[in-house]
Amino acid sequence: MTEQRRSTPKSIRTREAIEAAAKELFSINGFERTTVREIGARAGIDPSMIIRYFGSKDALFARVATPDLELPDLSATDSHAIGETLVRHFLAQWEGEKSGKGMTVLLRSATSNEDAAERLLDIFRTQVFPAIARAGPPDTAPLRAGLVGSQLLGLALARYVLRLPPVVAMSPDQIVRSVGETIQRYATGA
Amino acid sequence: MTEQRRSTPKSIRTREAIEAAAKELFSINGFERTTVREIGARAGIDPSMIIRYFGSKDALFARVATPDLELPDLSATDSHAIGETLVRHFLAQWEGEKSGKGMTVLLRSATSNEDAAERLLDIFRTQVFPAIARAGPPDTAPLRAGLVGSQLLGLALARYVLRLPPVVAMSPDQIVRSVGETIQRYATGA
DNA sequence: GTCTATAATTCGATAGAC
DNA sequence: GTCTATCGAATTATAGAC
């Protein structure tokens, strides 16, 4: 009992276990089909702890479904390589252990959960739109960003959520080439 | 007592009222967040009737979420107009009163419902894939169809489900031009 | 900090009267 | 064919012992 001094306090470790389990289950089954009991079981703690730590299931979801795309500053890259750069970065984020699950959580729930949908629109507004705006004429910025968004959303939906076989089978390089050319055209307004 | 609609028995009219209400609510809230009670209230009948008529909530969903894209035979169209033709038909189907709601029902539920996802993959296999296969070299057919699918899915997700403002604001002609060029490249494998 | 026990709802589905 | 009444199971969330 005297040894309360530890590298990571128990409360923090429990909190992280809950977040990891929630991220996992939300990304597989979406918000509605994931129960607090399941999260507790996977985290190895009592379900009541989840409410104690996060207040509600909704609050836990909000905590876990706030990813950052971390799109690169495109003004620094070659103007003719914007498309491929953007797609490469996008793929890396989705396949990365850190933000990938958070994105899947969000996309899987956004189609039937108001909060998740609003959160996804926010990512579009604050991350995709600014990155695209500078790549072409200002007056067509919303249009160009919208087209880029639709293609990137479709790619993520097909590859990571619905797992459309031919899209899953493609290599990252293949996707960067094929889809990159599309994004390049959308982003620059050719 | 005035006798109306002798031509359609009450049972059929009730059945149709249930299907219409279900289509409406499933397309707004998805499968999980729509309750049998809500459907009954909107249809103006008792919730128990829904189980009596369709057996279960799942069976009702299956009945309502089986749309037909009715994609055109692309072998009859100019080879350089495949993209625009496909996008125009796709938009018409989504915005049509008949099949549009069925598609929205499916897409809105496919991200968190196993049955809906499988049904969506079926549409891809039986309707999108065959239409694309003949537009380019046979060995790249799955790849080309996958890319087409990802762009069309993303377009539908952005415009009809998430309602991304700039994508909603685009006119059908604008979409046919911009996205049509992408589909053309994907479908033919340029 | 953690768990047991349970409150308070809400769900899909059923039985049976009329 | 339709509705009333309700069942049994599942859910989120809370109260309180240890």
Side-chain angles (χ1 to χ4, degrees), chain A residues 35-64:
Chain A
T35 69
V36 174
R37 283 169 163 79
E38 285 172 342
I39 298 172
R42 175 175 275 253
I45 52 94
D46 191 89
S48 66
M49 301 295 296
I50 294 170
I51 306 298
R52 179 180 174 85
Y53 272 65
F54 293 90
S56 70
K57 181 187 174 184
D58 286 86
L60 172 59
F61 179 81
R63 181 77 173 75
V64 149

mmCIF file of all heavy atoms in Angstrom, chain A residues 35-64:
data_model
loop_
_atom_site.group_PDB
_atom_site.id
_atom_site.type_symbol
_atom_site.label_atom_id
_atom_site.label_comp_id
_atom_site.label_asym_id
_atom_site.label_seq_id
_atom_site.Cartn_x
_atom_site.Cartn_y
_atom_site.Cartn_z
ATOM 1 N N THR A 35 -21.785 -2.229 -26.854
ATOM 2 C CA THR A 35 -22.367 -1.972 -25.539
ATOM 3 C C THR A 35 -21.274 -1.674 -24.513
ATOM 4 O O THR A 35 -20.125 -2.106 -24.649
ATOM 5 C CB THR A 35 -23.180 -3.184 -25.041
ATOM 6 O OG1 THR A 35 -22.285 -4.256 -24.753
ATOM 7 C CG2 THR A 35 -24.203 -3.613 -26.067
ATOM 8 N N VAL A 36 -21.680 -0.947 -23.488
ATOM 9 C CA VAL A 36 -20.752 -0.621 -22.409
ATOM 10 C C VAL A 36 -20.235 -1.901 -21.750
ATOM 11 O O VAL A 36 -19.066 -1.996 -21.353
ATOM 12 C CB VAL A 36 -21.453 0.280 -21.371
ATOM 13 C CG1 VAL A 36 -20.564 0.501 -20.165
ATOM 14 C CG2 VAL A 36 -21.821 1.604 -22.002
ATOM 15 N N ARG A 37 -21.104 -2.895 -21.682
ATOM 16 C CA ARG A 37 -20.691 -4.175 -21.082
ATOM 17 C C ARG A 37 -19.553 -4.832 -21.870
ATOM 18 O O ARG A 37 -18.603 -5.361 -21.294
ATOM 19 C CB ARG A 37 -21.894 -5.132 -21.043
ATOM 20 C CG ARG A 37 -22.894 -4.841 -19.948
ATOM 21 C CD ARG A 37 -24.154 -5.684 -20.183
ATOM 22 N NE ARG A 37 -24.992 -5.772 -19.011
ATOM 23 C CZ ARG A 37 -25.828 -4.832 -18.606
ATOM 24 N NH1 ARG A 37 -25.922 -3.713 -19.300
ATOM 25 N NH2 ARG A 37 -26.569 -5.003 -17.531
ATOM 26 N N GLU A 38 -19.684 -4.818 -23.198
ATOM 27 C CA GLU A 38 -18.638 -5.414 -24.028
ATOM 28 C C GLU A 38 -17.299 -4.703 -23.843
ATOM 29 O O GLU A 38 -16.249 -5.338 -23.750
ATOM 30 C CB GLU A 38 -19.041 -5.334 -25.513
ATOM 31 C CG GLU A 38 -20.110 -6.333 -25.938
ATOM 32 C CD GLU A 38 -20.584 -6.053 -27.357
ATOM 33 O OE1 GLU A 38 -20.350 -4.933 -27.855
ATOM 34 O OE2 GLU A 38 -21.194 -6.933 -27.958
ATOM 35 N N ILE A 39 -17.367 -3.385 -23.818
ATOM 36 C CA ILE A 39 -16.135 -2.609 -23.644
ATOM 37 C C ILE A 39 -15.472 -2.960 -22.317
ATOM 38 O O ILE A 39 -14.263 -3.178 -22.246
ATOM 39 C CB ILE A 39 -16.435 -1.100 -23.715
ATOM 40 C CG1 ILE A 39 -16.993 -0.734 -25.093
ATOM 41 C CG2 ILE A 39 -15.177 -0.287 -23.411
ATOM 42 C CD1 ILE A 39 -17.492 0.699 -25.198
ATOM 43 N N GLY A 40 -16.301 -3.041 -21.274
ATOM 44 C CA GLY A 40 -15.763 -3.402 -19.965
ATOM 45 C C GLY A 40 -15.119 -4.777 -19.973
ATOM 46 O O GLY A 40 -14.027 -4.973 -19.431
ATOM 47 N N ALA A 41 -15.791 -5.732 -20.611
ATOM 48 C CA ALA A 41 -15.275 -7.091 -20.653
ATOM 49 C C ALA A 41 -13.926 -7.143 -21.362
ATOM 50 O O ALA A 41 -12.975 -7.777 -20.892
ATOM 51 C CB ALA A 41 -16.279 -8.009 -21.352
ATOM 52 N N ARG A 42 -13.828 -6.427 -22.497
ATOM 53 C CA ARG A 42 -12.579 -6.448 -23.260
ATOM 54 C C ARG A 42 -11.445 -5.726 -22.516
ATOM 55 O O ARG A 42 -10.287 -6.114 -22.611
ATOM 56 C CB ARG A 42 -12.784 -5.819 -24.636
ATOM 57 C CG ARG A 42 -11.497 -5.694 -25.450
ATOM 58 C CD ARG A 42 -11.766 -5.176 -26.840
ATOM 59 N NE ARG A 42 -12.125 -6.247 -27.736
ATOM 60 C CZ ARG A 42 -11.305 -6.725 -28.690
ATOM 61 N NH1 ARG A 42 -10.114 -6.214 -28.846
ATOM 62 N NH2 ARG A 42 -11.701 -7.694 -29.483
ATOM 63 N N ALA A 43 -11.835 -4.694 -21.777
ATOM 64 C CA ALA A 43 -10.820 -3.936 -21.037
ATOM 65 C C ALA A 43 -10.456 -4.631 -19.722
ATOM 66 O O ALA A 43 -9.509 -4.228 -19.041
ATOM 67 C CB ALA A 43 -11.327 -2.519 -20.769
ATOM 68 N N GLY A 44 -11.234 -5.662 -19.369
ATOM 69 C CA GLY A 44 -10.955 -6.385 -18.144
ATOM 70 C C GLY A 44 -11.349 -5.650 -16.880
ATOM 71 O O GLY A 44 -10.795 -5.872 -15.813
ATOM 72 N N ILE A 45 -12.326 -4.778 -16.998
ATOM 73 C CA ILE A 45 -12.794 -4.035 -15.825
ATOM 74 C C ILE A 45 -14.332 -4.050 -15.791
ATOM 75 O O ILE A 45 -14.980 -4.492 -16.724
ATOM 76 C CB ILE A 45 -12.303 -2.582 -15.837
ATOM 77 C CG1 ILE A 45 -12.648 -1.918 -17.173
ATOM 78 C CG2 ILE A 45 -10.823 -2.497 -15.559
ATOM 79 C CD1 ILE A 45 -13.906 -1.177 -17.201
ATOM 80 N N ASP A 46 -14.888 -3.593 -14.690
ATOM 81 C CA ASP A 46 -16.341 -3.599 -14.557
ATOM 82 C C ASP A 46 -16.959 -2.489 -15.403
ATOM 83 O O ASP A 46 -16.421 -1.379 -15.464
ATOM 84 C CB ASP A 46 -16.709 -3.395 -13.087
ATOM 85 C CG ASP A 46 -18.188 -3.664 -12.855
ATOM 86 O OD1 ASP A 46 -18.526 -4.832 -12.587
ATOM 87 O OD2 ASP A 46 -18.983 -2.720 -12.977
ATOM 88 N N PRO A 47 -18.104 -2.800 -16.052
ATOM 89 C CA PRO A 47 -18.763 -1.804 -16.904
ATOM 90 C C PRO A 47 -19.071 -0.486 -16.187
ATOM 91 O O PRO A 47 -19.055 0.570 -16.816
ATOM 92 C CB PRO A 47 -20.063 -2.510 -17.313
ATOM 93 C CG PRO A 47 -19.754 -3.949 -17.213
ATOM 94 C CD PRO A 47 -18.767 -4.104 -16.099
ATOM 95 N N SER A 48 -19.330 -0.569 -14.898
ATOM 96 C CA SER A 48 -19.679 0.657 -14.181
ATOM 97 C C SER A 48 -18.509 1.640 -14.125
ATOM 98 O O SER A 48 -18.703 2.847 -13.996
ATOM 99 C CB SER A 48 -20.139 0.329 -12.766
ATOM 100 O OG SER A 48 -19.070 -0.211 -12.016
ATOM 101 N N MET A 49 -17.298 1.109 -14.258
ATOM 102 C CA MET A 49 -16.123 1.988 -14.250
ATOM 103 C C MET A 49 -16.133 2.934 -15.441
ATOM 104 O O MET A 49 -15.630 4.060 -15.366
ATOM 105 C CB MET A 49 -14.848 1.139 -14.282
ATOM 106 C CG MET A 49 -14.707 0.188 -13.129
ATOM 107 S SD MET A 49 -14.525 1.074 -11.596
ATOM 108 C CE MET A 49 -12.973 1.920 -11.882
ATOM 109 N N ILE A 50 -16.689 2.460 -16.543
ATOM 110 C CA ILE A 50 -16.694 3.275 -17.763
ATOM 111 C C ILE A 50 -17.511 4.547 -17.561
ATOM 112 O O ILE A 50 -17.092 5.637 -17.935
ATOM 113 C CB ILE A 50 -17.258 2.455 -18.943
ATOM 114 C CG1 ILE A 50 -16.278 1.310 -19.254
ATOM 115 C CG2 ILE A 50 -17.477 3.328 -20.169
ATOM 116 C CD1 ILE A 50 -16.820 0.293 -20.217
ATOM 117 N N ILE A 51 -18.664 4.376 -16.912
ATOM 118 C CA ILE A 51 -19.499 5.539 -16.637
ATOM 119 C C ILE A 51 -18.809 6.449 -15.632
ATOM 120 O O ILE A 51 -18.812 7.670 -15.761
ATOM 121 C CB ILE A 51 -20.876 5.097 -16.097
ATOM 122 C CG1 ILE A 51 -21.527 4.107 -17.063
ATOM 123 C CG2 ILE A 51 -21.778 6.304 -15.888
ATOM 124 C CD1 ILE A 51 -21.813 4.654 -18.430
ATOM 125 N N ARG A 52 -18.166 5.831 -14.653
ATOM 126 C CA ARG A 52 -17.461 6.619 -13.634
ATOM 127 C C ARG A 52 -16.335 7.455 -14.251
ATOM 128 O O ARG A 52 -16.127 8.603 -13.910
ATOM 129 C CB ARG A 52 -16.902 5.683 -12.563
ATOM 130 C CG ARG A 52 -16.131 6.401 -11.471
ATOM 131 C CD ARG A 52 -15.616 5.406 -10.445
ATOM 132 N NE ARG A 52 -14.757 6.020 -9.461
ATOM 133 C CZ ARG A 52 -15.197 6.635 -8.360
ATOM 134 N NH1 ARG A 52 -16.494 6.722 -8.154
ATOM 135 N NH2 ARG A 52 -14.351 7.163 -7.509
ATOM 136 N N TYR A 53 -15.625 6.862 -15.204
ATOM 137 C CA TYR A 53 -14.470 7.552 -15.780
ATOM 138 C C TYR A 53 -14.864 8.548 -16.874
ATOM 139 O O TYR A 53 -14.252 9.598 -17.010
ATOM 140 C CB TYR A 53 -13.493 6.533 -16.370
ATOM 141 C CG TYR A 53 -12.483 6.019 -15.376
ATOM 142 C CD1 TYR A 53 -12.881 5.258 -14.282
ATOM 143 C CD2 TYR A 53 -11.132 6.301 -15.512
ATOM 144 C CE1 TYR A 53 -11.962 4.789 -13.366
ATOM 145 C CE2 TYR A 53 -10.202 5.831 -14.603
ATOM 146 C CZ TYR A 53 -10.629 5.074 -13.524
ATOM 147 O OH TYR A 53 -9.715 4.606 -12.617
ATOM 148 N N PHE A 54 -15.874 8.203 -17.657
ATOM 149 C CA PHE A 54 -16.180 9.048 -18.826
ATOM 150 C C PHE A 54 -17.555 9.711 -18.763
ATOM 151 O O PHE A 54 -17.874 10.535 -19.609
ATOM 152 C CB PHE A 54 -16.061 8.224 -20.108
ATOM 153 C CG PHE A 54 -14.651 7.780 -20.407
ATOM 154 C CD1 PHE A 54 -14.171 6.571 -19.917
ATOM 155 C CD2 PHE A 54 -13.788 8.574 -21.152
ATOM 156 C CE1 PHE A 54 -12.873 6.162 -20.177
ATOM 157 C CE2 PHE A 54 -12.493 8.170 -21.411
ATOM 158 C CZ PHE A 54 -12.024 6.959 -20.925
ATOM 159 N N GLY A 55 -18.363 9.332 -17.786
ATOM 160 C CA GLY A 55 -19.653 10.006 -17.635
ATOM 161 C C GLY A 55 -20.788 9.328 -18.365
ATOM 162 O O GLY A 55 -21.870 9.153 -17.820
ATOM 163 N N SER A 56 -20.558 8.952 -19.618
ATOM 164 C CA SER A 56 -21.605 8.283 -20.404
ATOM 165 C C SER A 56 -20.971 7.597 -21.611
ATOM 166 O O SER A 56 -19.805 7.846 -21.935
ATOM 167 C CB SER A 56 -22.655 9.283 -20.877
ATOM 168 O OG SER A 56 -22.110 10.136 -21.852
ATOM 169 N N LYS A 57 -21.762 6.752 -22.237
ATOM 170 C CA LYS A 57 -21.285 6.076 -23.441
ATOM 171 C C LYS A 57 -21.011 7.099 -24.547
ATOM 172 O O LYS A 57 -20.025 6.990 -25.275
ATOM 173 C CB LYS A 57 -22.337 5.061 -23.893
ATOM 174 C CG LYS A 57 -21.952 4.268 -25.130
ATOM 175 C CD LYS A 57 -23.125 3.419 -25.611
ATOM 176 C CE LYS A 57 -22.821 2.734 -26.931
ATOM 177 N NZ LYS A 57 -23.975 1.986 -27.465
ATOM 178 N N ASP A 58 -21.877 8.095 -24.658
ATOM 179 C CA ASP A 58 -21.693 9.142 -25.668
ATOM 180 C C ASP A 58 -20.385 9.898 -25.457
ATOM 181 O O ASP A 58 -19.665 10.196 -26.411
ATOM 182 C CB ASP A 58 -22.860 10.124 -25.622
ATOM 183 C CG ASP A 58 -24.120 9.534 -26.214
ATOM 184 O OD1 ASP A 58 -24.857 8.862 -25.465
ATOM 185 O OD2 ASP A 58 -24.350 9.721 -27.410
ATOM 186 N N ALA A 59 -20.094 10.225 -24.198
ATOM 187 C CA ALA A 59 -18.873 10.981 -23.906
ATOM 188 C C ALA A 59 -17.635 10.154 -24.244
ATOM 189 O O ALA A 59 -16.646 10.685 -24.756
ATOM 190 C CB ALA A 59 -18.861 11.397 -22.442
ATOM 191 N N LEU A 60 -17.704 8.859 -23.959
ATOM 192 C CA LEU A 60 -16.582 7.983 -24.300
ATOM 193 C C LEU A 60 -16.387 7.947 -25.811
ATOM 194 O O LEU A 60 -15.256 8.008 -26.306
ATOM 195 C CB LEU A 60 -16.837 6.570 -23.770
ATOM 196 C CG LEU A 60 -15.841 5.492 -24.223
ATOM 197 C CD1 LEU A 60 -14.424 5.839 -23.801
ATOM 198 C CD2 LEU A 60 -16.232 4.126 -23.664
ATOM 199 N N PHE A 61 -17.486 7.866 -26.539
ATOM 200 C CA PHE A 61 -17.397 7.849 -28.002
ATOM 201 C C PHE A 61 -16.748 9.125 -28.524
ATOM 202 O O PHE A 61 -15.855 9.087 -29.376
ATOM 203 C CB PHE A 61 -18.788 7.679 -28.610
ATOM 204 C CG PHE A 61 -18.787 7.671 -30.112
ATOM 205 C CD1 PHE A 61 -18.467 6.520 -30.806
ATOM 206 C CD2 PHE A 61 -19.096 8.813 -30.821
ATOM 207 C CE1 PHE A 61 -18.457 6.513 -32.187
ATOM 208 C CE2 PHE A 61 -19.080 8.819 -32.212
ATOM 209 C CZ PHE A 61 -18.757 7.656 -32.884
ATOM 210 N N ALA A 62 -17.190 10.250 -27.994
ATOM 211 C CA ALA A 62 -16.640 11.536 -28.430
ATOM 212 C C ALA A 62 -15.137 11.593 -28.158
ATOM 213 O O ALA A 62 -14.358 12.112 -28.962
ATOM 214 C CB ALA A 62 -17.350 12.678 -27.719
ATOM 215 N N ARG A 63 -14.727 11.049 -27.029
ATOM 216 C CA ARG A 63 -13.314 11.050 -26.655
ATOM 217 C C ARG A 63 -12.487 10.225 -27.620
ATOM 218 O O ARG A 63 -11.351 10.577 -27.954
ATOM 219 C CB ARG A 63 -13.184 10.481 -25.231
ATOM 220 C CG ARG A 63 -11.795 10.438 -24.674
ATOM 221 C CD ARG A 63 -11.363 11.822 -24.217
ATOM 222 N NE ARG A 63 -10.083 11.767 -23.536
ATOM 223 C CZ ARG A 63 -8.912 11.612 -24.148
ATOM 224 N NH1 ARG A 63 -8.900 11.508 -25.453
ATOM 225 N NH2 ARG A 63 -7.796 11.573 -23.464
ATOM 226 N N VAL A 64 -13.082 9.150 -28.088
ATOM 227 C CA VAL A 64 -12.338 8.170 -28.888
ATOM 228 C C VAL A 64 -12.415 8.462 -30.387
ATOM 229 O O VAL A 64 -11.539 8.069 -31.155
ATOM 230 C CB VAL A 64 -12.893 6.761 -28.563
ATOM 231 C CG1 VAL A 64 -12.796 5.839 -29.753
ATOM 232 C CG2 VAL A 64 -12.173 6.179 -27.349
#
